[in-house]
Amino acid sequence: MIAREPAEHSVGSQETFGRDTDDPALVVTEILRMADRTAGRMRAQQMVGRTVSLSVRFADFTTITRSGTLKAYTDRTNDIYAEALRLFEKLGLQRARIRRVGVRVEALVPKGETYQQPALDEPAGDGRRPRRRSTRLCSGSGRRRCSGPG
């Protein structure tokens, strides 16, 4: 019998700043970088997840963690970043001195075990709009009379 390595249940990245910062633009940029690093690791492992967690450690070493669940499984940087940013903004911090931020995606499953139903108003996964199918109606015997686009 061959023992399989257990799959990771979460993937995340965190960064400790060289100095404590109260610059929200710097923190937001770091959240984007951590979301991108996390998504890249997920894609490399062919895993997707729905729960995004944001961890913030302050100058006094207190740490808070907030989580949010996405509507669909993802491994996309933009989805992870958007949720992490929403969680950060929801904290309502006013010039708090931050020492470290981290982004984590939890409850991972193999990408092949999920299916994401595309929305009609969203572009296809490759960034293109979905192709319009012909709705041409034809009738008659011998002679074809067609109506509709196509």
Side-chain angles (χ1 to χ4, degrees), residues 26-39:
L26 179 63
V27 175
V28 166
T29 299
E30 199 59 36
I31 290 171
L32 173 59
R33 202 165 70 84
M34 295 301 98
D36 186 51
R37 186 185 296 172
T38 299

Side-chain angles (χ1 to χ4, degrees), residues 111-130:
K111 190 172 190 171
E113 293 181 13
T114 64
Y115 176 77
Q116 184 172 348
Q117 175 69 40
L120 295 175
D121 60 345
E122 291 181 359
D126 58 6
R128 296 179 293 149
R129 300 293 287 164

Side-chain angles (χ1 to χ4, degrees), residues 54-71:
L54 174 75
S55 175
V56 178
R57 177 169 285 169
F58 298 97
D60 65 358
F61 287 94
T62 59
T63 304
I64 59 171
T65 303
R66 298 293 184 264
S67 298
T69 302
L70 302 171
K71 291 180 182 179

Side-chain angles (χ1 to χ4, degrees), residues 91-105:
L91 293 174
L93 302 177
Q94 301 294 320
R95 307 299 286 183
R97 304 219 29 96
I98 296 174
R99 180 173 298 264
R100 184 187 76 199
V101 293
V103 174
R104 175 169 294 283
V105 178

